[in-house]
Amino acid sequence: MPNNKMSVVVAGFDGALASAMTGIVDLLSLAGVTWNRIQHKKIERLFEVKIASPHGNAIQCINGLNIHAHLSYADVKQPDVLVVPTIGGPIDPILQQQQALLELIRKADQHATTIAGNCTGSFFLAEAGILDGRTATTHWGFEPEFRARYPKVHLHPEQMISRDGHIYTAGGGLAWFDLGLHLIDRFYGFEIAIETAKAFVIDYQRDSQLSYALLRVARPHQDLLVQQIQKFLAQHLSQSIALEDLAQHFNLTTRTLIRRFKAALDVPPNRYIQAMRMEAAQKRLEQTEHSIDQIMLAVGYQDSSSFRRLFRKHTGLTPLEYRRRFSRSA
């Protein structure tokens, strides 16, 4: 294990999510401390963590909490890791107001510093231009906005953590602990990461955000015919409906049905139907004690292996794993 502590700077800014700052500071500052204390071993701090702000002033987080900064951006001197926390407020004005942070990110990238963006903090990395041509993730709810703003980034919103060279990005707002554990793993090894996870009583190696996502294809639109078809599908969820039969029921050609759905929802009807059924299965797993086979039939599937395969593809979990994690009675 290295004798020198790794230096970490958390780049704070007004409008940041407070827990994404204080959480990563606690996790990294206490790596090698809390577990060792529990085990009556010698304390060995592994990271030196400091919070920076544009001018060294206190940071006003989105919840109104003010967090003290140790230094200004100008005082940051090539740390081992630069962490950019979650944007807690409106993204566009905060990006525009924080030009100094964009410069700090670009400078860190030029020195191949490990850069880690949490949740919507990845917008800062993309805005700075360092994610062009690279793989990244962000909060699943901001996928459309991210794709529209940064088409050159290879976005994978289903991933909880992505790494491309020296750049890490993480998914949801509380994914700071996934991010922190990955950084501990990278610099000090898997065993230390697991010990830290056990000390903080958190899971390590959550791979996917899919189980937390909502039905993203159900966006608002003004096509009354598509709205009628959506209502019909919801009422006949358990039935197997071929696209040709669906089109005929509404006096459409199959081609017109597909065109209208893509224009209104930006997805073909077969993908919409599959997503609708998967979300219905998720709700039943969360809210009922029905067996998995009963739920499978209720949402329109007859083949157990096919249903389980599609469910895992959609959520990143098996139906049983999903129920254990999200059921009201779990």
Side-chain angles (χ1 to χ4, degrees):
M1 183 179 297
N3 292 323
N4 296 326
K5 294 189 288 288
M6 305 294 294
S7 61
V8 178
V9 169
V10 179
F13 52 89
D14 289 347
L17 186 68
S19 59
M21 296 179 59
T22 59
I24 196 77
V25 170
D26 283 344
L27 187 67
L28 296 182
S29 296
L30 295 175
V33 176
T34 305
W35 174 263
N36 291 26
R37 184 175 291 139
I38 293 169
Q39 298 297 318
H40 304 289
K41 295 166 61 177
K42 179 183 176 181
I43 301 300
E44 192 162 10
R45 296 185 182 276
L46 305 180
F47 295 92
E48 180 183 11
V49 188
K50 294 184 177 180
I51 296 175
S53 68
H55 304 290
N57 299 328
I59 298 149
Q60 185 170 21
C61 297
I62 192 62
N63 62 359
L65 180 69
N66 289 329
I67 295 180
H68 172 75
H70 299 96
L71 70 168
S72 69
Y73 290 170
D75 294 326
V76 175
K77 307 298 182 184
Q78 295 188 31
D80 295 303
V81 183
L82 177 69
V83 176
V84 181
T86 305
I87 299 174
I91 290 176
D92 189 61
I94 289 178
L95 290 176
Q96 293 181 22
Q97 293 162 9
Q98 301 298 331
Q99 294 299 312
L101 177 50
L102 298 179
E103 288 303 316
L104 181 65
I105 292 169
R106 294 184 186 111
K107 181 179 177 181
D109 182 53
Q110 291 170 2
H111 290 100
T113 299
T114 295
I115 303 171
N118 188 69
C119 188
T120 48
S122 60
F123 277 74
F124 273 116
L125 277 59
E127 189 74 12
I130 71 168
L131 292 182
D132 287 354
R134 292 184 178 274
T135 297
T137 189
T138 192
H139 189 291
W140 60 266
F142 293 90
E143 174 190 358
E145 184 175 351
F146 193 99
R147 288 192 187 279
R149 293 182 69 115
Y150 312 113
K152 295 181 181 180
V153 180
H154 303 312
L155 186 67
H156 292 274
E158 75 282 0
Q159 296 180 358
M160 188 68 75
I161 296 289
S162 74
R163 178 188 177 187
D164 194 320
H166 60 284
I167 300 175
Y168 286 80
T169 52
L174 294 183
W176 55 261
F177 75 74
D178 302 275
L179 186 61
L181 291 172
H182 273 76
L183 292 173
I184 295 168
D185 190 343
R186 174 181 174 184
F187 291 113
Y188 293 104
F190 181 76
E191 183 177 353
I192 301 296
I194 288 295
E195 290 174 353
T196 306
K198 289 179 179 178
F200 278 80
V201 197
I202 52 180
D203 294 330
Y204 184 33
Q205 293 187 320
R206 296 190 303 167
D207 297 324
S208 175
Q209 292 191 85
L210 290 174
S211 58
Y212 302 91
L214 300 174
L215 184 58
R216 287 169 287 176
V217 297
R219 69 182 189 183
H221 63 86
Q222 302 302 317
D223 190 320
L224 295 180
L225 178 58
V226 172
Q227 290 176 9
Q228 292 175 15
I229 298 172
Q230 288 177 285
K231 183 177 180 180
F232 175 84
L233 290 170
Q235 293 171 343
H236 297 81
L237 191 65
S238 63
Q239 300 176 16
S240 178
I241 303 174
L243 288 188
E244 294 79 6
D245 295 335
L246 183 63
Q248 186 176 8
H249 183 82
F250 286 91
N251 298 315
L252 301 170
T253 65
T254 304
R255 178 176 294 181
T256 300
L257 173 68
I258 295 171
R259 178 178 57 79
R260 293 285 287 267
F261 255 75
K262 291 190 74 172
L265 296 168
D266 199 30
V267 294
N270 56 350
R271 181 181 163 193
Y272 175 84
I273 293 169
Q274 185 180 98
M276 179 188 66
R277 286 175 169 161
M278 289 296 107
E279 185 173 82
Q282 288 175 257
K283 289 180 179 178
R284 284 166 168 79
L285 288 165
E286 294 167 10
Q287 300 172 6
T288 76
E289 295 182 1
H290 297 164
S291 71
I292 292 173
D293 283 346
Q294 286 176 315
I295 292 173
M296 173 192 73
L297 294 172
V299 299
Y301 291 96
Q302 304 295 321
D303 181 72
S304 177
S305 62
S306 176
F307 170 71
R308 284 169 166 78
R309 175 179 55 79
L310 288 171
F311 190 89
R312 187 179 187 103
K313 180 180 179 182
H314 183 78
T315 67
L317 301 170
T318 67
L320 184 58
E321 289 170 340
Y322 187 91
R323 168 166 274 170
R324 287 171 175 167
R325 181 175 294 183
F326 295 105
S327 172
R328 289 178 178 176
S329 60

